[in-house]
Amino acid sequence: HVYQSRRGAVPGNLVCSAGRVLSQQGGAVDLFFQLDALRKHVDQRLAASPNDAEALCERGEILWDDGKLSQAIDCFRRSFAVEPSPNARSLLRDALLDGLRTDFERYRQAGDEIRRLIDEPRQEAAYHRLMAAGFEKAGQFSPALAHYLKLIEIDQKQRELEHLDKAYAVRRDRWLQVRLADLRKAAPAEVQSEIDRTSKARLDAALAADSADALEQFLDYFGLQPGADAARVRLVTKFREGKQFLQAEMLLRRIER
C-alpha cells in the first residue's frame, strides 16, 4: 500500500528502527510509525485504556487510510469527547469534510457539527464548496446557490486559490463565476429567477458605486450572467477616464464577442 502524509511531508533520507521510520531532509526531521507496528501499538494502548484519546485518533487514522471513513469518524468523535485536543478537532473536521466529498447524502446532516469545528476561513470555504457541489449534484439548486453566495462573501474578504483536490487549484472567483453560470443553466425557472434577482441587485450596487473596483468585483463573480455587459460598458468608461486604454480595449473586445 502507498499512503500520503496528511501534512504533506515528503520523505527524505530514511532510517528504520523499532517500528518507526525517521526521515531526514535539509530543513526538517520527521518521524513516522511503520503501519504494522502502529496497529499493534494502538491495540495495546486501547486494550489497557479504551478511552485513550491519542490512541483513538491513531486508530481513526488507520481506519481512514483503510477506506473505513465511518469507523474513523467514530474514533475521532470519541477522542474529541474525551479530550478536545487540536489534533482530534482537526482530524474530525477533515474526516467529516471528506465525508461530504465522498458521500454527501450521508454526511450532509453533519453540517452543524462541521461548522462548530471550523477554525479558519479556508476551512469554512471548503465546507461551503462541498455543500454547494453536493446540493447541485443532488438537484437541490436553491441551497446550492446559498452556499455559493457564502463562498463569494468569504472570497471578498480574503482572495485565495480554491484547492479542488491535491493536484488542482484555481482562483476561487473564476471557479465561482463558472459554477454560477452552470447552476443557472441547469436550474429550474424559479431558481434561475432567484439567480437573476441576486445578480441584478449586485449589478445595481456596482453601478451605483460607479467605481472600477466595484464593477470589476461584480464581474469577477457574475461576469457570465445575463446583463453583465452593462457592467463592462460602464467599466470601459472608467478605464478610459483613468487612461487605462489597454484594459478598455481588451474589455471592448470581450463585449464584441
Side-chain angles (χ1 to χ4, degrees):
H1 297 285
V2 178
Y3 301 100
Q4 289 186 331
S5 166
R6 299 190 197 287
R7 296 180 287 110
V10 178
N13 297 318
L14 302 178
V15 177
C16 296
S17 176
R20 292 172 172 81
V21 178
L22 182 69
S23 170
Q24 182 183 23
Q25 300 183 74
V29 175
D30 288 301
L31 184 65
F32 305 94
F33 269 100
Q34 290 180 280
L35 185 56
D36 289 341
L38 179 59
R39 290 184 195 275
K40 182 178 179 180
H41 173 76
V42 168
D43 288 344
Q44 290 173 343
R45 289 183 63 172
L46 291 176
S49 177
N51 289 324
D52 184 323
E54 184 178 358
L56 283 168
C57 277
E58 289 172 340
R59 172 164 284 177
E61 290 192 84
I62 293 171
L63 290 166
W64 193 358
D65 286 334
D66 285 343
K68 300 174 182 178
L69 180 60
S70 177
Q71 295 176 48
I73 288 172
D74 288 342
C75 287
F76 297 145
R77 281 174 172 153
R78 286 177 57 195
S79 176
F80 191 66
V82 172
E83 182 182 336
S85 67
N87 184 50
R89 181 186 183 90
S90 175
L91 287 169
L92 178 55
R93 179 189 60 242
D94 292 349
L96 288 169
L97 289 172
D98 194 29
L100 286 181
R101 181 181 61 82
T102 59
D103 191 352
F104 179 74
E105 284 304 313
R106 179 174 185 175
Y107 288 99
R108 58 183 283 191
Q109 304 302 326
D112 290 341
E113 181 181 8
I114 295 171
R115 285 197 296 271
R116 291 194 297 270
L117 297 168
I118 288 172
D119 297 316
E120 301 174 7
R122 63 179 181 83
Q123 297 161 3
E124 185 180 6
Y127 165 73
H128 286 297
R129 173 173 58 80
L130 291 167
M131 290 294 285
F135 277 125
E136 184 177 359
K137 186 176 180 180
Q140 300 182 46
F141 299 107
S142 189
L145 173 62
H147 283 284
Y148 283 133
L149 294 178
K150 284 288 186 181
L151 263 176
I152 290 176
E153 291 179 15
I154 294 169
D155 194 58
Q156 286 175 335
K157 295 175 184 176
Q158 185 173 344
R159 293 291 182 99
E160 289 189 357
L161 292 176
E162 191 68 38
H163 294 272
L164 304 181
D165 58 37
K166 292 180 180 179
Y168 183 38
V170 297
R171 271 181 55 175
R172 185 179 292 149
D173 59 332
R174 294 294 183 262
W175 182 80
L176 280 164
Q177 185 185 92
V178 173
R179 295 300 338 125
L180 287 172
D182 287 348
L183 186 72
R184 188 182 184 280
K185 290 177 183 177
E190 61 269 20
V191 179
Q192 289 183 357
S193 297
E194 185 179 357
I195 295 172
D196 290 346
R197 288 193 298 272
T198 301
S199 178
K200 185 178 185 307
R202 306 217 176 184
L203 172 60
D204 290 345
L207 292 173
D210 198 30
S211 72
D213 286 346
L215 293 164
E216 285 183 295
Q217 188 175 89
F218 168 80
L219 290 170
D220 282 345
Y221 305 105
F222 296 92
L224 298 179
Q225 298 298 319
D229 278 350
R232 292 188 179 93
V233 170
R234 181 68 67 85
L235 186 54
V236 167
T237 301
K238 303 305 293 184
F239 282 151
R240 292 177 63 185
E241 290 173 354
K243 301 187 184 303
Q244 296 173 275
F245 299 116
L246 179 58
Q247 290 92 326
E249 181 180 353
M250 292 174 63
L251 200 52
L252 281 170
R253 292 182 180 277
R254 170 68 186 271
I255 295 171
E256 288 175 356
R257 291 201 300 268

